[in-house]
Amino acid sequence: GQNIDQPTEMTATEGAIVQINCTYQTSGFNGLFWYQQHAGEAPTFLSYNVLDGLEEKGRFSSFLSRSKGYSYLLLKELQMKDSASYLCAVRGNDMRFGAGTRLTVKP
Amino acid sequence: DTGVSQDPRHKITKRGQNVTFRCDPISEHNRLYWYRQTLGQGPEFLTYFQNEAQLEKSRLLSDRFSAERPKGSFSTLEIQRTEQGDSAMYLCASSPATGGGAFFGQGTRLTVV
């Protein structure tokens, strides 16, 4: 089975950096994914890690440690539009999601 | 083909009626997933297909739910004898068989009254 844990809510200030953590337990591993979801919309794909280390994509970076079952999503230079839920997902034989972290960016 | 499409976008039905949703994945994607999402929660896995084969079905999925992907392209999700607890957003996603993320459709919002 799979367990995926991430904080329920986080708050940060515009222009700052925020790190959203995700820990997971899975019987098989074929990649860890981060998605962004605005209220009332479908999730949109942000990043993908299959090997240990940091993947950078503009203002967003994602880190993976397979031995620790740990990942984080780093958002830099926060903007108001980054207020959304961020979902951690693990692909084993299928793809399972965490409950999401609701990020609020304040001016 | 610009992405995953789902139809309808919204469905209101009376309790006890049957409903069917359709998903058209990205054409070159072998895998197709169905999820259910309620307010404030992450997507809850329902089932997935690789080509036309249904490889896994969540134990949370009662016998009232069935999904098909007869030709390995589009998929349908049917809910029989709907209950108020079935009210949710039903999301479809597709991905390549190996590597890469899953891309979501806009979802079908079901309201059972």
Side-chain angles (χ1 to χ4, degrees):
Chain A
Q2 291 176 323
N3 289 318
I4 302 170
D5 293 309
Q6 49 182 132
T8 304
E9 291 190 21
M10 297 184 73
T11 302
T13 304
E14 192 175 15
I17 299 172
V18 70
Q19 177 174 312
I20 302 174
N21 296 324
C22 172
T23 58
Y24 65 90
Q25 296 174 312
T26 180
S27 54
F29 183 83
N30 288 303
L32 187 137
F33 304 85
W34 285 95
Y35 287 81
Q36 180 190 61
Q37 187 175 27
H38 286 100
E41 298 181 8
T44 55
F45 173 72
L46 288 179
S47 70
Y48 165 51
N49 295 70
V50 65
L51 299 176
D52 291 353
L54 189 68
E55 293 285 339
E56 297 187 78
K57 196 186 268 190
R59 295 190 299 114
F60 296 83
S61 303
S62 57
F63 172 83
L64 174 66
S65 169
R66 289 171 295 170
S67 62
K68 295 181 179 178
Y70 168 69
S71 173
Y72 67 72
L73 179 69
L74 195 70
L75 293 79
K76 303 175 187 175
E77 301 168 15
L78 281 172
Q79 302 174 10
M80 299 298 289
K81 67 178 183 179
D82 296 329
S83 293
S85 286
Y86 291 86
L87 303 165
C88 174
V90 176
R91 182 166 168 172
N93 294 324
D94 53 40
M95 180 175 277
R96 305 280 174 138
F97 285 78
T101 298
R102 187 192 309 273
L103 174 66
T104 301
V105 180
K106 295 186 174 180
Chain B
D1 190 340
T2 57
V4 180
S5 63
Q6 293 187 243
D7 183 71
R9 292 289 305 277
H10 303 275
K11 178 71 177 179
I12 300 174
T13 191
K14 291 184 177 179
R15 189 173 52 187
Q17 297 295 304
N18 299 344
V19 294
T20 300
F21 309 142
R22 177 181 170 120
C23 172
D24 287 88
I26 294 171
S27 58
E28 59 266 29
H29 284 179
N30 305 96
R31 288 197 171 191
L32 186 148
Y33 305 84
W34 284 101
Y35 295 89
R36 176 172 63 190
Q37 188 174 30
T38 53
L39 196 62
Q41 300 298 312
E44 176 187 23
F45 173 80
L46 294 178
T47 188
Y48 90 100
F49 294 84
Q50 180 151 318
N51 300 313
E52 66 275 10
Q54 187 173 19
L55 297 186
E56 188 167 343
K57 186 175 176 180
S58 168
R59 287 171 295 176
L60 299 172
L61 216 60
S62 76
D63 291 342
R64 297 185 297 107
F65 288 71
S66 62
E68 294 183 344
R69 195 184 183 196
K71 297 180 180 179
S73 56
F74 75 91
S75 176
T76 57
L77 177 69
E78 181 182 18
I79 309 174
Q80 296 181 326
R81 304 181 303 283
T82 52
E83 302 172 357
Q84 285 190 318
D86 297 332
S87 295
M89 176 74 85
Y90 289 83
L91 293 164
C92 174
S94 70
S95 75
T98 56
F103 292 85
F104 282 85
Q106 290 302 302
T108 295
R109 183 173 296 283
L110 173 67
T111 303
V112 182
V113 297

